[in-house]
């Protein structure tokens, strides 16, 4: 396959600039980090280098990874996942079961757990939290302040009162038993409610803080291993040990600090000096430098994600399927993955990650990279001279897109080769996420998704199900909606696999979210750290990590 010369030049320039930056930061021979293993922080303080600031510390109201990292330390959920896996284990609930008709899920709650403010965790606290996420009229939701809880309808169909709402009722049976009543069976419900969004906050703290709950001025109050101390936006979030944590002998450190360090070269430099202990989101080009330092250790998060290019069909050129197919044929996905991910990613035609191949149509073939055919499709659709397109790219490096701007520039160069004139745009991360859902939304944009639980439902429903497509002009495909709902109810795994394979085929043809990459995110820690088990689900508790 021939490469687009435009983006190949972009890559050469980018690689040269990265090499110059790294050479200015560190020696290029075999090295050992300067300073002692504990430089910059004592053994009782753990410092994590994060790419971006949290959007909010309010559980149920954030979908970004940077909020998720901090929330994992502040909150517990009804259920958790075995470290490094997607296997469910007890957490704030010690036992769970479903009725014979599979519509009533019962959770037995752990007794004796306290929120950080000393109030009790119990069934009423569960009801208060779930109601604020689910019920648009709940006064603790403070929706008049702009809170949206967008993840709730993405996972559970809709809010209370809507025809699409999976949840019909939440009942308090006794002080330590709750029941969720569903509209239809949903086999993955325990895993969905266990996903990282739904940590439990102190209702008393929410009432006291009002609409400011979760903001830097207030923080958050959960039951988790660490308690909130302060949040200096653009700099750091500081947490302290919860001495009353219900899990014995955790957490292992007295203090946990999240430092916002946007540039990967800066994160690596601070790791080398020991001023931070571990960090996320490194470029594959940095791998050789990491491995040369005897005080650093590479870690890889198991691949369980998708990076995609969204095409909003509410815009006139993109409303035509032929145009979307032309865009899919214009971008040399394999060459891009080879160039920008250097062996730490794959590309394929599926929106779900490779680990879910049992639910994919394995006969499906990706769109051929064929600029000539793309031009022909554009002409047949009425755009022989191409058209103008606004493409938005992520403002920060992430675990899936390690170099967002150069990657977007490469996309733009490939599209320009078939006559699509791209203008690139970005904005502050929080605004980038929020504004994509404001009508009419972006024309085209880059985004990534990391799985929340080990079921294809978690990739499909939040992107293609009812209530989940506001960012692509409320796109709708009735057959996809039907299949997703039926698959949630189906007990036979063979039949479920057939349903999801059909969804796979339909979405490939619809081409509204083009899967570009499934990455294996690169993480780094200092060698004096033990107990860190990266989760395939995107973030994890740091309570088990120790420093020596």
């Amino acid at each position: 396959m021939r490469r687009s010369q435009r983006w190949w030049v972009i890559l050469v320039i980018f690689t040269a600039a990265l090499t110059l930056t790294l050479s200015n930061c560190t020696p290029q021979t075999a090295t050992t980090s300067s300073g002692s293993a504990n430089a910059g922080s004592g053994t009782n303080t753990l410092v994590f280098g994060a790419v971006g600031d949290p959007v909010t510390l309010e559980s149920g109201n954030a979908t970004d990874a940077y909020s998720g990292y901090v929330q994992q330390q502040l909150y517990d959920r009804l259920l958790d996942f075995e470290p490094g896996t997607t296997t469910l284990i007890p957490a704030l609930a010690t036992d769970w079961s479903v009725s014979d008709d599979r519509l009533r899920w019962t959770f037995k709650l752990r007794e004796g757990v306290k929120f950080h403010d000393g109030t009790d965790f119990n069934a009423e606290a569960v009801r208060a939290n779930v109601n604020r996420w689910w019920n648009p009229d709940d006064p603790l939701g403070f929706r008049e302040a702009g809170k949206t809880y967008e993840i709730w309808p993405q996972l559970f169909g809709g809010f209370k009162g809507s025809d699409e709402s999976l949840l019909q009722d939440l009942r308090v049976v006794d002080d330590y038993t709750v029941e969720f009543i569903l509209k239809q069976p949903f086999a993955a419900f325990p895993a969905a409610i266990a996903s990282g969004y739904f940590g439990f906050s102190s209702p008393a703290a929410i009432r006291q803080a009002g609409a400011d709950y979760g903001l830097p001025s207030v923080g958050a109050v959960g039951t988790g291993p660490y308690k909130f101390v302060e949040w200096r936006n653009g700099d750091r979030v500081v947490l302290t040990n919860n001495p009353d944590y219900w899990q014995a002998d955790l957490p292992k450190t007295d203090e946990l600090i999240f430092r916002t360090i946007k540039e990967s070269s800066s994160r690596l430099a601070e790791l080398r000096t020991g001023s931070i202990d571990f960090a996320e989101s490194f470029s594959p080009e940095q791998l050789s430098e990491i491995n040369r330092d005897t005080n650093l250790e590479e870690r890889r998060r198991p691949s369980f994600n998708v990076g995609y290019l969204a095409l909003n069909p509410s815009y006139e050129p993109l409303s035509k399927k032929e145009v979307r197919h032309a865009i899919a044929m214009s971008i040399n996905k394999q060459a891009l993955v080879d160039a920008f991910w250097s062996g730490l990613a794959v590309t394929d035609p599926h929106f779900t990650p490779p680990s879910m191949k049992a639910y994919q149509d394995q006969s499906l073939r990706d769109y051929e990279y064929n600029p000539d055919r793309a031009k022909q499709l554009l002409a047949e659709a009425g755009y022989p001279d191409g058209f103008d397109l606004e493409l938005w790219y992520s403002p920060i490096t992430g675990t899936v897109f390690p170099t967002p701007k150069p990657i977007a520039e490469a996309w733009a160069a490939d599209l320009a080769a078939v006559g699509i004139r791209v203008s690139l745009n970005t904005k502050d991360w929080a605004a980038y996420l929020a504004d994509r859902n404001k009508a009419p939304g972006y024309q085209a944009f880059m985004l990534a998704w990391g799985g929340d639980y080990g079921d294809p439902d978690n990739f499909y429903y939040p992107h293609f199900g009812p209530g989940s497509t506001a960012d692509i002009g409320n796109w709708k495909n009735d057959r996809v909606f039907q299949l997703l709902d039926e698959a949630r109810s189906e007990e036979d795994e063979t039949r479920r696999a057939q349903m999801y394979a059909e969804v796979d085929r339909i979405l490939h043809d619809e081409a509204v979210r083009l899967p570009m990459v499934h990455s294996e995110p690169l993480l780094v820690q200092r060698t004096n750290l033990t107990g860190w088990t990266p989760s395939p689900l995107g973030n994890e508790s740091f309570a088990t990590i120790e420093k020596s």
Side-chain angles (χ1 to χ4, degrees), residues 18 60 228 419:
L18 178 63
F228 177 81

Side-chain angles (χ1 to χ4, degrees), residues 319-333:
S319 65
K320 296 186 176 182
K321 191 184 296 185
E322 300 94 328
V323 171
R324 302 196 299 271
H325 287 184
I327 290 175
M329 291 181 179
S330 300
I331 298 176
N332 192 339
K333 290 170 52 177

Side-chain angles (χ1 to χ4, degrees), residues 320-397:
K320 296 186 176 182
K321 191 184 296 185
E322 300 94 328
V323 171
R324 302 196 299 271
H325 287 184
I327 290 175
M329 291 181 179
S330 300
I331 298 176
N332 192 339
K333 290 170 52 177
Q334 187 60 59
L336 282 164
V337 167
D338 291 343
F340 287 100
W341 281 267
S342 302
L344 294 180
V346 297
T347 185
D348 61 31
H350 311 291
F351 198 81
T352 52
S355 60
M356 291 186 171
K357 64 182 180 180
Y359 301 96
Q360 298 168 347
D361 182 348
Q362 292 300 306
S363 69
L364 205 59
R365 295 294 174 260
D366 213 343
Y367 287 98
E368 177 190 9
Y369 171 59
N370 191 333
D372 292 335
R373 176 58 179 154
K375 291 178 183 178
Q376 183 180 349
L377 285 175
L378 289 176
E380 292 172 359
Y383 300 96
D385 300 319
F387 58 90
D388 296 328
L389 179 69
E390 292 184 359
L391 194 160
W392 292 77
Y393 66 90
S394 172
I396 52 180
T397 61

Side-chain angles (χ1 to χ4, degrees), residues 493-506:
E493 279 301 311
T494 300
R495 178 63 184 136
R496 287 187 86 228
Q498 293 169 348
M499 292 174 176
Y500 284 125
E502 183 177 348
V503 170
D504 197 15
R505 290 191 294 273
I506 294 171

